[in-house]
Amino acid sequence: MKALLSPAKSLLVLRIMIAICMIAHASQRFYFNSINGFGDFLNAKGFLIGVPIAWGITLFELIGGLAMLLNYFTKWISLVWAVQLLIGIILVHAQNGWFVVGPSTGGVEYSLLLIVCLLVLHAHANDNKG
């Protein structure tokens, strides 16, 4: 049976979808004006400069997502975002179990799936820079 997409086209679709997820992640913080609240959450978790970190993460997701969409620095952006998601699992999701919705909520499954996708992109990135 012939594959629906070639490996190269599959990676292209994966890269575009992950970039859209990154951009959406950042955009919702701007839309709902929640970046400072995210920073307050980080402060509550023991970070000393939570608000600047939250701004940095948000700008990374927005600019990095746009760069990834255009296939710039995909190899490194994917690795940094995978680490960021791993930290999110440690700080937030691990205590909520496996499922994002269903028997539990806010769990690790979505973040782990994204990490695996990002590691695939990192391994196979053929980007314009980096």
Side-chain angles (χ1 to χ4, degrees):
M1 179 181 200
K2 186 176 178 183
L4 184 62
L5 295 173
S6 69
K9 287 182 181 174
S10 298
L11 288 170
L12 172 68
V13 169
L14 183 63
R15 179 177 53 80
I16 290 170
M17 288 308 302
I18 290 176
I20 289 169
C21 286
M22 287 182 74
I23 294 165
H25 227 247
S27 297
Q28 62 86 23
R29 284 196 206 103
F30 281 108
Y31 182 79
F32 292 108
N33 195 28
S34 62
I35 299 170
N36 290 339
F38 177 37
D40 293 340
F41 165 79
L42 292 173
N43 284 334
K45 290 292 185 177
F47 291 86
L48 298 177
I49 53 169
V51 173
I53 292 171
W55 274 96
I57 289 170
T58 302
L59 291 173
F60 167 74
E61 289 173 349
L62 182 63
I63 296 166
L66 290 170
M68 184 182 279
L69 192 62
L70 298 172
N71 201 25
Y72 284 94
F73 305 106
T74 299
K75 183 179 231 24
W76 303 110
I77 292 167
S78 59
L79 190 60
V80 171
W81 205 32
V83 170
Q84 179 185 324
L85 286 165
L86 182 59
I87 293 168
I89 287 172
I90 293 166
L91 293 177
V92 178
H93 302 290
Q95 66 191 11
N96 296 322
W98 177 259
F99 296 102
V100 173
V101 295
S104 62
T105 57
V108 300
E109 68 176 327
Y110 176 72
S111 294
L112 286 176
L113 176 60
L114 267 177
I115 288 170
V116 169
C117 292
L118 288 160
L119 293 176
V120 168
L121 276 183
H122 176 76
H124 297 282
N126 185 14
D127 48 25
N128 296 325
K129 303 283 183 199

